[in-house]
Amino acid sequence: MAHHVSGLGISPTSMDPRSHITDLYVFQKPGDDNKTILVMNINPYSPITADAVDPESVYEFGVDTDADAVIDIAFRMRFSPVEADSQTASVHLATGQRAAADLNAGETIIKDAPVTFGAQPHITTAGDVRFFGGLRSDPFFADPVGAGNNFQWTGEDFFVDKNVFGIVLEVPNTMLGSNPKVGVWARVLVPHDGRLVQGDRAGRPGIDNNFNQSVEDKRVWNQQEPAKDRELFLDKFTGVFEHVGGYSRDQAAILAASLLPDLVPYDYSSADGYPNGRNLTDDVINLGIAQVTNGAVPHDGLRPHTDLRSDFPFLGTPH
């Protein structure tokens, strides 16, 4: 199904659910076509406590501005330890060649923003940038029980009462570069053997869970950067399209190549939604299943959650 179950438990660097990405969303801000909203939801087991995010990890939105699947712009979030039932976050912006290579590069654009543990969101604004971090209702909707039973849909949305830890940024489009067509992905860098390494990643919805069949493939996938995707996974993705959807080899190869490298393609001059970025209400699971199965599976009948906010940070009140 979705990215909710991708890297968790696959390796020592992805055992902690606080370092696990559930979904990535990228969309034009409603009512303001000069702004973009970036949402990274983490921790599918987020409790209503102060223990939902890891202060030793780095959470990052990566932006590729020149279609080489390498980070040219990075927004990096770091969280303080929880003290006296409070926690803060800082956001750093790195650009250019050092954006991908140096985790300490760049400038601080948000400092000591309060993290939200309760129902009322605490929002921090600095210039044209807004930040939110905290417990929220999970906007993802799907029927994983039905999917696991040969697509015999139950009609039940498993995620309707679930929470996540949401990391939300509002940035001016100018921060994403002069070319409106970019690629966006998210990753979590976790401490391992005295250094920070990539423990989980997210781009298009459902890619890892639907296409990577073995534990080893999932481990390699979640610890590599998108620039290596076609070299290491194009043939395997092609095989999934052939086997599941009955596509010819040539058709399957074209479809597989369209998904790799795994970044969310986004034109910030457009509000169209998936596959241009991803809105919180986009029915990505049914679209993905239809593509993989060559249209053989009926719609699951589910609809977007009704508890979304109409304003920043857009994610609903936690349950």
Side-chain angles (χ1 to χ4, degrees):
M1 292 304 297
H3 203 74
H4 284 74
V5 292
S6 62
L8 191 60
I10 298 303
S11 73
T13 61
S14 62
M15 290 292 287
D16 190 339
R18 299 177 303 167
S19 301
H20 174 71
I21 305 169
T22 65
D23 286 286
L24 169 67
Y25 301 88
V26 186
F27 53 93
Q28 190 182 89
K29 181 183 178 181
D32 188 349
D33 59 10
N34 294 311
K35 299 283 185 66
T36 288
I37 306 299
L38 304 168
V39 180
M40 181 196 316
N41 289 335
I42 64 167
N43 194 345
Y45 308 116
S46 290
I48 302 294
T49 70
D51 190 30
V53 66
D54 180 22
E56 296 186 358
S57 295
V58 176
Y59 301 83
E60 178 181 277
F61 296 108
V63 181
D64 169 27
T65 64
D66 54 9
D68 64 355
V70 174
I71 294 173
D72 299 297
I73 300 168
F75 298 92
R76 296 190 176 109
M77 284 66 63
R78 290 175 167 87
F79 294 83
S80 73
V82 177
E83 295 184 2
D85 295 325
S86 66
Q87 186 176 31
T88 62
S90 296
V91 182
H92 306 272
L93 171 62
T95 60
Q97 292 183 344
R98 297 184 65 194
D102 186 354
L103 294 179
N104 295 311
E107 60 177 321
T108 301
I109 57 174
I110 296 280
K111 185 176 181 181
D112 297 332
V115 170
T116 298
F117 298 142
Q120 186 62 33
H122 298 294
I123 299 167
T124 301
T125 302
D128 290 329
V129 179
R130 303 177 86 188
F131 169 82
F132 168 86
L135 273 294
R136 291 284 96 185
S137 171
D138 191 348
F140 183 70
F141 53 102
D143 179 3
V145 175
N149 186 28
N150 198 29
F151 301 111
Q152 300 300 305
W153 302 122
T154 69
E156 299 293 329
D157 180 0
F158 176 81
F159 300 93
V160 71
D161 61 351
K162 302 301 187 291
N163 292 325
V164 288
F165 188 97
I167 300 171
V168 188
L169 275 180
E170 175 185 309
V171 300
N173 293 335
T174 53
M175 279 191 172
L176 303 181
S178 58
N179 182 352
K181 295 182 178 181
V182 299
V184 182
W185 62 300
R187 65 176 179 167
V188 182
L189 298 133
V190 299
H192 184 66
D193 289 342
R195 60 193 182 97
L196 286 170
V197 300
Q198 185 175 302
D200 199 15
R201 60 180 277 203
R204 294 177 175 88
I207 295 297
D208 182 21
N209 191 59
N210 288 333
F211 288 92
N212 294 326
Q213 305 301 303
S214 71
V215 168
E216 178 63 13
D217 280 348
K218 290 179 181 294
R219 184 193 66 79
V220 172
W221 176 267
N222 282 295
Q223 294 181 346
Q224 77 177 22
E225 298 185 13
K228 297 181 179 179
D229 287 350
R230 288 193 176 182
E231 174 188 351
L232 298 180
F233 284 89
L234 181 60
D235 285 346
K236 293 180 179 181
F237 278 39
T238 298
V240 172
F241 278 113
E242 285 185 286
H243 176 71
V244 177
Y247 292 97
S248 71
R249 181 69 179 181
D250 288 345
Q251 290 174 316
I254 291 170
L255 288 169
S258 73
L259 298 180
L260 299 174
D262 183 29
L263 299 97
V264 175
Y266 174 58
D267 180 347
Y268 61 64
S269 67
S270 169
D272 283 348
Y274 192 80
N276 177 53
R278 180 183 176 188
N279 293 313
L280 298 174
T281 56
D282 286 340
D283 192 358
V284 296
I285 291 304
N286 283 289
L287 289 171
I289 290 173
Q291 183 184 52
V292 173
T293 65
N294 203 3
V297 175
H299 195 283
D300 60 16
L302 301 182
R303 294 294 182 264
H305 293 177
T306 59
D307 62 351
L308 299 172
R309 294 173 60 101
S310 61
D311 58 352
F312 190 87
F314 301 102
L315 302 174
T317 302
H319 302 282

